[in-house]
Amino acid sequence: TYSASDEIESVTIDEKNTPIQIVSSDSKTVSVTYYRADDGSEDYEITEENGELTIAKQSQPNNGIFILGDRYEDDSYKNVKLVLSLPDNYTGNLFIETMDGDINIGNVDVQDTTVTTNDGDIVVGNAVFEHLQIDTDDGDVSFNRTAIMQELACETKNGNVIGTFSGNMADYSIVTETVGGNSNLNSK
């Protein structure tokens, strides 16, 4: 677990293939908890600078060694995830990018949020966003009692977009674009 020491105004997560959870916390600081496999092949570089917390995955090369069998069947791989805990009073920005991992955002209140994944589902529940931008190439996006204060832009290829929102939809803008998927939201 890593606890931020400074006043954090922006969090950036650059992840490859680990599921990510964004949750609210009673703590006064932003914290990151990561559960990694026992083989030590992956670690995180976490930096704080000028109010920005950056979390980047660092994978160790296997030096050309071919491993027989599926190492991901090992029990330690089944529990791998990254959990970002935001204080209840967090009013900063959030940027998440992953290649192949699901993203679950719940019970948070965030200003500007950008979520990008190539191959992962995105689930958002009981959250409040000023601006939310989502882009996924091969994953479903779902919203449950999500409040958008100004704007939601959601684009997915080969995935569905479904959701329910809090508040009056006339107070904010929702634009979704799906290719090879369906949406129950306003769509291009």
Side-chain angles (χ1 to χ4, degrees):
T1 299
Y2 176 89
S3 294
S5 58
D6 295 330
E7 183 73 24
I8 300 300
E9 298 170 4
S10 179
V11 177
T12 300
I13 300 174
D14 183 7
E15 174 54 67
K16 303 295 184 247
N17 57 3
T18 299
I20 298 172
Q21 293 179 331
I22 312 298
V23 298
S24 178
S25 167
D26 292 336
S27 173
K28 301 292 185 213
T29 61
V30 174
S31 66
V32 180
T33 304
Y34 47 93
Y35 304 87
R36 56 185 171 216
D38 294 337
D39 67 2
S41 62
E42 300 173 332
D43 205 357
Y44 290 93
E45 179 180 348
I46 300 175
T47 58
E48 284 183 59
E49 188 174 330
N50 300 323
E52 182 174 350
L53 178 67
T54 302
I55 305 149
K57 165 118 7 128
Q58 305 295 309
S59 297
Q60 304 298 320
N62 68 4
N63 296 320
I65 299 170
F66 180 75
I67 301 171
L68 289 175
D70 190 358
R71 71 179 186 162
Y72 298 106
E73 291 300 316
D74 180 343
D75 283 341
S76 70
Y77 277 94
K78 293 177 183 173
N79 298 317
V80 170
K81 67 181 171 183
L82 183 140
V83 179
L84 175 68
S85 299
L86 300 175
D88 288 334
N89 64 348
Y90 181 77
T91 58
N93 301 319
L94 182 58
F95 305 96
I96 304 170
E97 184 172 359
T98 181
M99 295 295 293
D100 182 23
D102 294 341
I103 300 168
N104 188 320
I105 303 173
N107 299 314
V108 296
D109 187 341
V110 186
Q111 292 293 312
D112 292 335
T113 302
T114 302
V115 180
T116 304
T117 182
N118 284 339
D119 185 17
D121 295 335
I122 300 169
V123 177
V124 180
N126 297 318
V128 178
F129 300 93
E130 194 71 24
H131 299 274
L132 175 59
Q133 179 178 337
I134 293 178
D135 187 3
T136 179
D137 283 339
D138 190 16
D140 295 329
V141 180
S142 63
F143 302 96
N144 182 27
R145 296 187 328 195
T146 301
I148 304 295
M149 304 313 291
Q150 289 192 23
E151 180 181 34
L152 165 65
C154 180
E155 182 177 336
T156 183
K157 298 176 188 117
N158 301 317
N160 298 314
V161 179
I162 59 171
T164 60
F165 293 87
S166 302
N168 183 354
M169 290 183 76
D171 294 339
Y172 51 88
S173 165
I174 294 180
V175 177
T176 62
E177 183 176 347
T178 59
V179 176
N182 298 308
S183 174
N184 75 338
L185 309 177
N186 299 334
S187 296
K188 279 186 174 180

